[in-house]
Amino acid sequence: MTGALIVIDVQNSFLQLPDWGYTSRPDIVPQVNRLATAARAAGDTVVWVLGSRPGSGSVFDPARGFVRLMDGVEPLPGEPVLTKTAHNAFTTTNLQQYLTQRGIRKLTICGIRTEQCCETTTRIASDLGFEVDFAIDATATTPIPHRTAPDDLSFAELVRHPRTLGVDEIIARTEYALSGRFATIRTVDQLTGN
């Protein structure tokens, strides 16, 4: 079955955020590269997706110059680079059309953030009829403060707050939520045969 690797938001925007120092996968670039190399060797398509919020003034605003792939990842000629303005990679792009026109029904999803754009894309992909492998150790996330956390704390203080959800808890929750419902959870080793 023809497949595609969907690489979501592995972009410089995240490197500018104070929470990136607490990421679950500082080695996300090598993990993504392993998947891309294996996908290309298998004849699968690699699709790169960037998250953008034009006019926001944030690090996701293209005008700030950070909405570009992280150093060390490089699309090959012909590999599409799509820009989305929603959490998932389908709603505001032509991704579904691109995949359908090529007869692609099997996806591997990786990128940033595990529980946000990657998980949301996976759920929608499943609902659209795609078979999805979720590359759990080629996704990255950061701690999530509780909605009631005090506004005056630094991120370092929020990380230590007792109600902050840690990266291991976030990843486990995503595994539970997706496995057997929306995707098969796999590791990079499993997906690459290494």
Side-chain angles (χ1 to χ4, degrees):
M1 179 187 302
T2 303
L5 172 66
I6 312 297
V7 182
I8 300 172
D9 296 353
V10 180
Q11 64 190 67
N12 279 310
S13 306
F14 287 101
L15 302 177
Q16 314 311 310
L17 298 174
D19 62 0
W20 187 254
Y22 301 91
T23 184
S24 61
R25 294 298 317 191
D27 63 341
I28 185 122
V29 167
Q31 292 290 82
V32 167
N33 283 335
R34 287 178 62 201
L35 290 174
T37 298
R40 291 164 179 152
D44 290 343
T45 301
V46 181
V47 179
W48 305 86
V49 182
L50 295 170
S52 175
R53 296 185 199 130
S56 67
S58 75
V59 296
F60 295 93
D61 187 333
R64 301 260 328 259
F66 300 116
V67 180
R68 63 182 191 279
L69 291 169
M70 287 182 179
D71 290 344
V73 289
E74 186 72 35
L76 294 182
E79 293 179 348
V81 179
L82 308 178
T83 301
K84 64 181 177 65
T85 56
H87 291 297
N88 76 82
F90 287 98
T91 306
T92 60
T93 71
N94 69 339
L95 179 60
Q96 181 183 5
Q97 178 185 13
Y98 178 88
L99 297 170
T100 301
Q101 286 176 341
R102 286 155 182 79
I104 296 170
R105 303 305 309 154
K106 182 164 179 51
L107 308 179
T108 298
I109 293 178
C110 66
I112 305 170
R113 293 191 164 126
T114 307
E115 80 292 348
Q116 192 173 359
C117 298
C118 296
E119 183 176 326
T120 305
T121 297
T122 298
R123 289 170 180 263
I124 291 177
S126 175
D127 282 352
L128 292 172
F130 293 96
E131 181 183 333
V132 183
D133 284 333
F134 192 85
I136 193 68
D137 59 344
T139 68
T141 192
T142 54
I144 302 174
H146 191 267
R147 62 182 172 77
T148 61
D151 293 334
D152 60 345
L153 297 180
S154 69
F155 198 80
E157 292 169 316
L158 286 171
V159 168
R160 294 189 300 273
H161 193 276
R163 297 200 69 190
T164 294
L165 199 61
V167 295
D168 291 340
E169 295 168 288
I170 295 166
I171 292 165
R173 190 212 59 78
T174 294
E175 289 180 333
Y176 278 106
L178 294 180
S179 182
R181 296 174 177 150
F182 301 98
T184 301
I185 306 298
R186 299 208 188 277
T187 65
V188 173
D189 285 350
Q190 290 170 326
L191 290 163
T192 63
N194 295 328

